[in-house]
Amino acid sequence: MTPHVSTFETAEPALLELLTHIHTGKAQLPDFQRGWVWDDNHIRSLIASVSRSFPIGAVMTMAVGENVRFRPRHFEGADEAKGKQPEVLVLDGQQRLTSMYLSLFSKGPVKTQTEKKQEIFRYYYLDIAKCLDPTEDRFDAVVSIPETKKLTSDFGRRIDLDLSTREHEYEQGMYPLPAIFDPAAHMEWTNGYKLHHQHEQTKTQLIDQFNMEIWLPFQQYKVPVIRLTKETPKEAVCQVFEAVNTGGVSLSVFELLTATFASDNFHLRDDWESKKKTLYDIPALKGVDESSYLTAITLLTSYQKQQSTNSAVSCKRKDVLNLSLSEYQENSILIIKGLKDAAQLLAKEKIFDIKTIPYQTQMIPLSAICAFLGQKLQNDTIKSKIMQWYWCGVLGELYGGANETRYALDITGVLSWLNGGEIPATIRDANFSPLRLLTLQSRLSAAYKGLMALLMKKGGCDFVNGDPVDIQTYFDQAIDIHHIFPKAYCEKQKYRRELWNSVINKAPLSSRTNRVIGGYKPSTYIESIQKQEKISPDRLDEIFLSHLIDPGKIRSDDFAGFIEHRAGELLTIIEQAMGKTISGRDSEEYLREIKRIQ
């Protein structure tokens, strides 16, 4: 049994030591960390807590090593750390440590903001008398003053506090916090304070008491630190960061991999942005985000490895994080081509844009399959098999949950099937219940969008202009899904909503045709189309048949007959797309529900 090895250790270094490491660059931030955002009141509250030796929470760091390499960046204000190689990276504690460093260690004004997000510059002081008064709130003893070192009121006409000279600081008893960790500056200030007050006994006792009760605790203040060791895997870093991140913004795998690749001077985000421009020129690919893009690359990479090493195929978070730069660079090109090939396949299925794509997630295995096949994708038999798998995923509604396992099953299953292997799990598992037709009510359902695409593929022509739907007419004529028996008419007749609002009573039609249909019963709008558009009854009947509509039923306003007939036709094209028989078409339950119109 392999012994358990801890991936972390704990320590309690002095705050001064942590801030010194920030200053020298020994401690830096991973590049994926967001910027410092704390406001003035947060800083004052933090200083007050430290001054009273109250805990401010643990800090988490990670040792820099070969196992996990991220591009580092120095803490805000720590300019001397530029170009230095860190020993540790701070995963949690950036806001607190930056606030401490800027207010206590750096010499310039702190760039912060008000509670209303207005940018301000501040110096911080401790009011000596208030610090030593047990009745005073320590927060009020922490004084924030503008970079002019003057507090004013009445629109700047009255000066309420002037600390613009060292003598003014002595006179007001305001200790400058940047001196707290600088022994020479601290001694110079305290000696100057005593001299300014001519070593008056009460003032000398006050500063001595301040040194004992305030200054010394700052020197002794310790911060609990959890140190992740060099052996900590990348996926653990990601999970830990999200668990401890108090900013409420989760860390994406893309950001973490960006930081990893940056250590090799490769800018992942810039590369993705340039590739995204070419992808987004194709409407069907506008839903591909950086996460699905990386997952597709990882899926392809993992499958390639399986072919040579017989390892398991996987594209979970840990696998994405373990993607090497060389693997990314090689397979990102293949995946971009695979995505474009996938979009071409879908266009032939009358799926043209992000609105009509049933499952965005299914683009991941589809693009990886296309990328691996390359030129073999031109084979008609291969394309037909791929589309059978695709439609089984859509109409079987198998891509609605967590999908990484299915991605792996599908790329191995489909590619094996294309080489004479067994039918893939998605085709085997896919099932469509006839009663599902009644519950497909909106485009939120993948099967609903899929059925509309199949109707367009079947050759459904527009009622008014007679044009079949292709990519040109889809966009030019604003093709969308509309009721055949209009909503207003059906509600007036008190037909069941489950029937008239279901996919059975829907068709892909132009916006112009939808206006002609209006709220009229079919026989009325049919007569209008024939007269105004000069379409012959025979031609219009052909158009109805292209939508799997029985011309006799719609012309006679036979809603019940129309529903029963069209439901059967829809089940037939579903069977054709999935390549398998739908059971239950003749069941008593189905026939009862499909015939019950009110």
Side-chain angles (χ1 to χ4, degrees):
M1 184 175 179
T2 304
H4 175 72
V5 178
S6 178
T7 59
F8 70 93
E9 57 191 24
T10 60
E12 283 192 352
L15 175 59
L16 173 58
E17 180 183 343
L18 286 176
L19 298 184
T20 301
H21 286 172
I22 289 172
H23 186 71
T24 60
K26 285 186 178 180
Q28 297 187 37
L29 297 165
D31 197 45
F32 57 72
Q33 281 268 35
R34 273 73 172 191
W36 178 67
V37 294
W38 267 21
D39 62 37
D40 183 52
N41 281 342
H42 270 95
I43 297 172
R44 292 175 63 204
S45 179
L46 187 67
I47 294 169
S49 294
V50 174
S51 75
R52 299 193 67 184
S53 298
F54 289 173
I56 59 171
V59 168
M60 182 173 292
T61 66
M62 178 186 65
V64 175
E66 288 301 316
N67 190 39
V68 180
R69 295 172 60 223
F70 298 125
R71 183 180 184 180
R73 64 177 173 84
H74 60 81
F75 275 76
E76 185 152 343
D79 295 336
E80 289 189 23
K82 285 183 180 179
K84 305 284 182 63
Q85 285 301 311
E87 294 178 3
V88 297
L89 297 177
V90 175
L91 294 181
D92 185 45
Q94 177 195 185
Q95 305 298 325
R96 286 164 287 157
L97 290 179
T98 304
S99 296
M100 291 289 94
Y101 178 78
L102 291 174
S103 60
L104 307 180
F105 215 87
S106 68
K107 304 302 181 183
V110 180
K111 179 184 175 182
T112 180
Q113 58 188 12
T114 66
E115 289 181 319
K116 295 183 178 180
K117 310 300 182 184
Q118 179 184 0
E119 184 181 280
I120 55 175
F121 290 84
R122 288 291 189 266
Y123 285 101
Y124 292 90
Y125 286 82
L126 289 178
D127 185 320
I128 294 173
K130 286 185 177 181
C131 281
L132 299 175
D133 186 344
T135 66
E136 288 283 354
D137 188 326
R138 186 59 59 85
F139 178 83
D140 294 331
V142 182
V143 178
S144 166
I145 194 165
E147 58 184 327
T148 61
K149 295 195 174 182
K150 293 179 181 179
L151 278 178
T152 62
S153 59
D154 193 20
F155 301 100
R157 288 190 286 264
R158 186 172 65 203
I159 297 176
D160 298 319
L161 180 62
D162 185 352
L163 301 177
S164 59
T165 66
R166 186 57 55 88
E167 287 69 25
H168 289 330
E169 292 175 356
Y170 298 151
E171 188 62 35
Q172 300 292 334
M174 293 289 177
Y175 179 86
L177 274 166
I180 201 104
F181 286 130
D182 184 338
H186 172 73
M187 183 174 294
E188 179 186 351
W189 195 91
T190 53
N191 287 339
Y193 176 85
K194 293 176 181 178
L195 183 61
H196 177 81
H197 291 287
Q198 299 179 351
H199 295 278
E200 196 270 323
Q201 186 178 2
T202 56
K203 294 296 183 182
T204 298
Q205 290 175 341
L206 190 69
I207 197 64
D208 288 342
Q209 185 183 358
F210 175 82
N211 283 337
M212 287 297 297
E213 296 183 16
I214 306 298
W215 179 82
L216 185 58
F218 265 96
Q219 314 309 309
Q220 298 171 337
Y221 191 89
K222 296 183 182 298
V223 180
V225 173
I226 301 170
R227 295 172 176 167
L228 301 185
T229 65
K230 296 178 181 181
E231 289 73 30
T232 305
K234 236 181 292 188
E235 63 268 23
V237 175
C238 187
Q239 291 175 355
V240 166
F241 183 86
E242 290 185 344
V244 302
N245 181 19
T246 57
V249 183
S250 63
L251 175 69
S252 73
V253 169
F254 183 85
E255 289 169 310
L256 199 53
L257 204 59
T258 298
T260 302
F261 288 172
S263 65
D264 291 318
N265 202 31
F266 181 83
H267 303 291
L268 176 60
R269 183 165 295 281
D270 292 344
D271 189 66
W272 160 243
E273 290 297 331
S274 66
K275 287 182 168 65
K276 184 170 72 172
K277 288 179 182 178
T278 67
L279 289 180
Y280 284 16
D281 285 338
I282 303 171
L285 298 180
K286 289 186 176 180
V288 178
D289 60 13
E290 56 263 44
S291 176
S292 54
Y293 166 68
L294 287 180
T295 303
I297 294 171
T298 305
L299 181 63
L300 176 61
T301 302
S302 182
Y303 181 76
Q304 290 169 337
K305 288 179 180 177
Q306 188 215 43
Q307 297 305 290
S308 58
T309 64
N310 203 31
S311 57
V313 177
S314 179
C315 60
K316 295 181 179 179
R317 168 181 283 195
K318 65 179 180 64
D319 305 300
V320 179
L321 291 173
N322 286 325
L323 195 67
S324 71
L325 178 56
S326 61
E327 290 168 341
Y328 168 82
Q329 290 176 313
E330 179 181 347
N331 285 333
S332 64
I333 298 171
L334 296 178
I335 284 297
I336 293 297
K337 178 66 165 57
L339 283 164
K340 293 179 178 179
D341 287 342
Q344 285 188 343
L345 287 178
L346 295 185
K348 292 176 181 178
E349 302 297 307
K350 307 301 180 181
I351 298 172
F352 300 121
D353 61 5
I354 186 174
K355 184 175 70 173
T356 54
I357 287 182
Y359 283 123
Q360 189 63 49
T361 50
Q362 203 172 359
M363 291 296 291
I364 292 172
L366 178 58
S367 64
I369 290 168
C370 291
F372 186 82
L373 289 171
Q375 289 301 314
K376 293 180 181 179
L377 197 60
Q378 302 306 314
N379 182 281
D380 183 66
T381 301
I382 286 177
K383 286 190 289 187
S384 296
K385 284 189 169 184
I386 290 174
M387 293 323 300
Q388 181 186 352
W389 158 77
Y390 180 81
W391 284 116
C392 282
V394 170
L395 299 168
E397 298 179 286
L398 297 176
Y399 270 84
N403 297 302
E404 289 90 350
T405 300
R406 187 165 293 279
Y407 298 158
L409 284 173
D410 277 342
I411 191 170
T412 54
V414 170
L415 291 175
S416 173
W417 182 45
L418 294 178
N419 285 320
E422 295 181 356
I423 292 175
T426 291
I427 295 179
R428 186 188 66 239
D429 298 342
N431 181 50
F432 189 91
S433 169
L435 286 170
R436 181 70 173 116
L437 289 176
L438 302 181
T439 58
L440 295 177
Q441 300 278 320
S442 75
R443 68 171 78 251
L444 294 176
S445 163
Y448 178 97
K449 290 191 280 189
L451 261 176
M452 288 301 106
L454 288 176
L455 282 169
M456 290 188 282
K457 182 184 178 185
K458 193 72 178 175
C461 300
D462 190 69
F463 288 5
V464 171
N465 60 42
D467 292 337
V469 178
D470 57 25
I471 195 164
Q472 186 73 30
T473 57
Y474 175 81
F475 290 106
D476 289 350
Q477 298 177 20
I479 303 297
D480 207 346
I481 301 168
H482 299 293
H483 293 90
I484 300 168
F485 277 72
K487 173 183 176 182
Y489 171 74
C490 291
E491 288 181 331
K492 186 176 181 181
Q493 299 300 311
K494 300 188 184 306
Y495 293 145
R496 285 174 63 202
R497 181 181 177 86
E498 290 88 344
L499 291 177
W500 65 255
N501 196 48
S502 75
V503 71
I504 304 170
N505 187 40
K506 304 281 184 68
L509 300 167
S510 69
S511 57
R512 181 186 174 200
T513 294
N514 189 49
R515 289 192 296 271
V516 172
I517 290 174
Y520 304 110
K521 61 183 179 181
S523 60
T524 300
Y525 72 68
I526 287 171
E527 183 179 358
S528 175
I529 290 172
Q530 291 177 168
K531 286 183 178 180
Q532 295 180 16
E533 305 301 328
K534 305 293 191 271
I535 297 179
S536 71
D538 288 345
R539 172 57 181 151
L540 194 54
D541 285 352
E542 290 177 2
I543 291 173
F544 289 144
L545 288 171
S546 74
H547 285 278
L548 310 180
I549 298 170
D550 185 318
K553 300 289 192 292
I554 192 171
R555 285 183 178 278
S556 62
D557 301 322
D558 180 2
F559 181 74
F562 158 79
I563 288 291
E564 186 176 358
H565 172 268
R566 194 160 192 260
E569 294 294 301
L570 291 179
L571 291 175
T572 297
I573 65 169
I574 290 172
E575 287 181 333
Q576 292 170 349
M578 296 177 69
K580 56 196 307 183
T581 302
I582 294 175
S583 61
R585 295 184 60 167
D586 299 322
S587 69
E588 289 185 12
E589 182 184 14
Y590 168 69
L591 293 175
R592 181 178 65 251
E593 290 301 310
I594 210 73
K595 292 179 179 180
R596 186 166 63 89
I597 66 170
Q598 290 181 322

